[in-house]
């Protein structure tokens, strides 16, 4: 039921009374309608709940307090993660409200690094499936299996993974469904995407993870990954089916393997509203961190000399985004701008004609002639290039050694060092070391969260505390998704990504407060504000570029923000109004995102 607002009928309804046809235990077991002990006296009467609940009526705030105590009594982070997963399927509003009220504490439990542990243990901690599991051997069923989740109007946001390169912990097969879920939880939490209008998907193509193949409890296809034409056909069938069934949905690709991530993005990007988070999201947030750090260093993009260690999906995604920003800033070609970036991978510096290069790496490789007689290992490259920025996306813990960091710091005043590999144990260096080795001068941001670091780096050796920003695509993808969904864009263009990046950089405390010990990027405490700002920029750019298809997008900036806010889902209990099932909407009948209800609206 779309709510009337000053903007007319908004496509997404997030406020006002909620019609509901469910009653009794069915209602208590419906995750989006259930309020547990918070059902009012009238609701208990109207919905046949009186004898099903203890007498006490509680507020959402009281429930949050109770849930927080239960959460806190779990002694390790994986147990806390499991508790939250169970809460989500019991009572979605309470789940999101609990997270919202304790965001800084719980972010790392529902996302990296703990979600990585949950994914690694998926088949052992499995309780209830959540999402769509598609099987490469059942390509003929893909359309049908996808069709069960809603009508054309009902799905806004799909996250899909094939589970090959999850959060830095490699191939996790069907456990990848949890990264699709985790990213969608963040879109709701950080950007108010409606939790009933999203779809987590895993494409099960087998796994090359020997531990999973040898685990008799493993739940996915227990065989080596299928690749080649069969794989491409499977992905294509998924994309085409999703487009046909849910033509308004934005498709977010997550944690595909190195060979496929970029290739699939290049294939589908010109045709549909899609986004690869590891390539583009990571590229945007890292460029934002670099822009903030350059500002602190009183330098510009034209001064940047960037070494990327680990030239895979994320590393080259970052290199692309930075290259395009340099080209735009200096008014030069992308080819020319790429000369300010050096990629180092397993063989060392990537060199044309020497190393086997992917299409994406080629534009950054150096020539044999240029690099003759020069060292190609990371230390050698640092000595030669004298970079002011070093990024780690290699999954090699400790790769940024004291020697390397000191070498870098000996050439530049404020070395920008971003160890981005997740989870925490795979970071190329930890902030405390980076700051100690550079006398507090390093400008640091990390892929997973770290506590602030104290050291004698203030005036006259006084102790100061340096906060370290988390440089994770989670800062930016929810806002890009929100802007794309609300504008119903037909494409995610380069310009949309550039404006999103600038919006994030501008909100980082280092730039906003002009304090050079402040974090380079905005923190989770302001994440919803960041998402609104990013969404606004994305929407405005989509309109300017003629790719927005949503009618009635306000042109005035204040009104646009209001329009965005009105469509963001909030974890609050809406009053329930009973309506008989006959003639009620699918939402009222509790059929949104529920498979196996009376009717199959999209059956082919
Ligand atoms: N902070 C963030 O927002 C993000 C962080 N990441 C993290 O970045 C890391 C890489 O992820 P992807 O790019 O998706 O993986 P990937 O597998 O595509 O890339 C990793 C690259 O590192 C290279 N590498 C491995 N060992 C190396 C060594 N000893 N020396 C030099 N290079 C080496 C590999 O050859 C490969 O090119 C992961 O830990 C992932 O969690 C990825 C996306 C976003
Ligand atoms: C953050 C993220 O997307 C990754 O580590 O894969
Ligand atoms: Mg990822």
């Amino acid at each position: 039921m779309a709510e009337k607002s000053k903007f007319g009928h908004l496509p997404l309804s997030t406020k006002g009374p909620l019609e509901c046809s469910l009653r009794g235990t069915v209602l208590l077991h419906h995750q989006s309608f259930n309020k547990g002990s918070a059902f009012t006296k009238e609701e208990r009467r109207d919905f046949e709940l009186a004898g099903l609940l203890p007498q006490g009526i509680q507020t959402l705030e009281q429930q949050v307090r109770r849930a927080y105590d239960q959460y806190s009594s779990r002694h390790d982070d994986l147990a806390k993660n499991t508790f939250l997963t169970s809460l989500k399927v019991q009572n979605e509003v309470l789940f999101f409200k609990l997270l919202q009220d304790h965001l800084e504490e719980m972010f790392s439990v529902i996302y990296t690094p703990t979600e990585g542990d949950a994914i690694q243990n998926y088949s052992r901690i499995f309780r209830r499936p959540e999402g769509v599991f598609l099987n490469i051997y059942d390509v003929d069923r893909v359309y049908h299996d996808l069709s069960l989740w809603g009508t054309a109007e009902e799905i806004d946001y799909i996250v899909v993974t094939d589970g090959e390169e999850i959060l830095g912990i490699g191939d996790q097969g069907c456990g990848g469904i949890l990264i699709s879920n985790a990213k969608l939880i963040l879109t709701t939490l950080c950007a108010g995407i409606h939790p009933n209008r999203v779809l987590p998907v895993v494409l099960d193509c087998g796994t090359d993870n020997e531990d999973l193949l040898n685990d008799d409890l493993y739940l996915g296809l227990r065989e080596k990954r299928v690749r080649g034409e069969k794989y491409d056909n499977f992905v294509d069938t998924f994309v085409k089916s999703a487009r046909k069934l849910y033509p308004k949905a934005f498709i977010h690709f997550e944690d595909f393997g190195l060979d496929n991530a970029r290739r699939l993005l290049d294939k589908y990007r010109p045709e549909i509203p899609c986004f690869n988070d590891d390539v583009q999201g990571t590229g945007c947030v890292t460029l934002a961190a670099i822009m903030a750090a350059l500002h602190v260093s009183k330098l510009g993009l034209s001064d940047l000399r960037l070494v990327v260690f680990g030239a895979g999906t994320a590393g080259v995604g970052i290199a692309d985004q930075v290259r395009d920003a340099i080209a735009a800033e200096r008014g030069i070609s992308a080819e020319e701008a790429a000369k300010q970036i050096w990629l180092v991978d397993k063989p060392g510096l990537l060199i044309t004609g020497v190393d086997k290069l992917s299409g994406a790496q080629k534009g950054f490789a150096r020539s044999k002639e240029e690099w003759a007689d020069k060292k190609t290992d990371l230390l050698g490259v640092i000595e030669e290039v004298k970079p002011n920025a070093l990024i780690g996306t290699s999954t090699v813990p400790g790769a940024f050694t004291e020697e390397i960091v000191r070498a870098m710091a000996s050439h530049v005043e404020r070395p920008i060092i971003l160890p981005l590999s997740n989870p925490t144990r795979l970071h190329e260096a930890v902030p405390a070391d980076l700051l100690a080795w550079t006398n507090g001068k390093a400008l640091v941001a990390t892929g997973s969260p770290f506590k602030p670091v104290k050291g004698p780096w203030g005036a006259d050796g006084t102790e100061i505390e340096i906060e370290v920003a988390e440089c994770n695509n989670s800062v930016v993808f929810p806002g890009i998704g929100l802007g794309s969904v609300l504008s119903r864009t037909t494409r995610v263009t380069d310009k949309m990504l550039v404006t999103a990046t600038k919006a994030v950089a501008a909100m980082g405390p280092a730039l906003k407060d002009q304090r050079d010990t402040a974090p380079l990027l905005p923190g989770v405490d302001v994440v919803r504000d960041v998402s609104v700002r990013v969404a606004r920029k994305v929407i405005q750019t989509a309109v300017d570029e003629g790719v927005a298809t949503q009618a009635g997008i306000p042109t005035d900036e204040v009104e646009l923000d209001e329009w965005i806010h009105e469509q963001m889902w909030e974890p609050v209990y809406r009053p329930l109004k009973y309506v008989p099932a006959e003639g009620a909407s699918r939402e009222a009948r509790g059929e949104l995102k529920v498979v196996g209800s009376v009717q199959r609206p999209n059956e082919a």
Side-chain angles (χ1 to χ4, degrees), residues 162-338:
D162 72 356
E164 189 174 2
E165 185 49 65
I166 301 280
L167 283 174
I169 53 171
D171 190 340
Q172 299 300 327
C174 77
I177 192 68
L178 291 188
I179 196 63
S180 299
N181 272 298
K183 293 276 174 173
L184 285 171
I185 288 170
L186 296 193
T187 64
T188 299
L189 197 59
C190 306
I193 297 281
H194 200 305
N196 272 352
R197 303 179 55 91
V198 301
L199 209 53
V201 180
V202 66
L203 303 175
D204 192 343
C205 311
T207 176
D208 290 344
N209 181 332
E210 290 296 331
D211 290 343
L212 298 181
L213 290 171
N214 293 324
D215 181 351
D216 63 354
L217 285 184
Y218 175 57
L219 285 163
L221 277 176
R222 197 193 303 272
E223 58 177 85
K224 291 274 185 197
R225 276 187 180 272
V226 178
R227 299 186 187 275
E229 209 178 310
K230 204 172 167 83
Y231 172 89
D232 285 355
N233 180 39
F234 181 42
V235 177
D236 201 51
T237 306
F238 160 74
V239 171
K240 291 208 171 99
S241 304
R243 288 294 297 156
K244 190 154 180 214
L245 290 161
Y246 309 117
K248 295 188 167 174
F250 171 78
I251 300 183
H252 166 147
F253 292 99
E254 188 69 41
D255 290 349
F256 281 70
L258 180 56
D259 293 339
N260 296 320
R262 172 67 67 125
R263 199 170 58 80
L264 295 174
L265 179 65
D266 290 345
K267 176 171 175 184
Y268 293 112
R269 208 180 160 209
E271 295 169 13
I272 63 170
C274 69
F275 170 82
N276 182 300
D277 190 29
D278 301 289
V279 177
Q280 297 169 300
T282 317
C284 289
V285 73
T286 310
L287 174 59
I290 290 174
M291 284 163 68
L294 287 173
H295 176 86
V296 172
S297 318
K298 303 195 171 42
L299 298 173
L301 278 168
S302 52
D303 304 304
L304 183 67
R305 299 169 69 77
L306 169 65
V307 171
V308 178
F309 182 68
T313 309
V316 184
I318 293 166
D320 277 355
Q321 209 69 42
V322 173
R323 177 202 58 202
D324 293 349
I326 294 171
E329 169 100 353
R330 292 182 55 197
I332 56 175
S333 67
E335 199 183 8
E336 194 58 25

Side-chain angles (χ1 to χ4, degrees), residues 314-357:
V316 184
I318 293 166
D320 277 355
Q321 209 69 42
V322 173
R323 177 202 58 202
D324 293 349
I326 294 171
E329 169 100 353
R330 292 182 55 197
I332 56 175
S333 67
E335 199 183 8
E336 194 58 25
K339 292 185 181 158
Q340 290 180 228
I341 301 169
W342 290 261
L343 300 186
V344 179
D345 206 90
K346 281 182 190 158
L349 183 79
L350 294 185
I351 298 178
T352 313
V354 174
D355 300 308
K356 193 167 164 277
L357 302 173

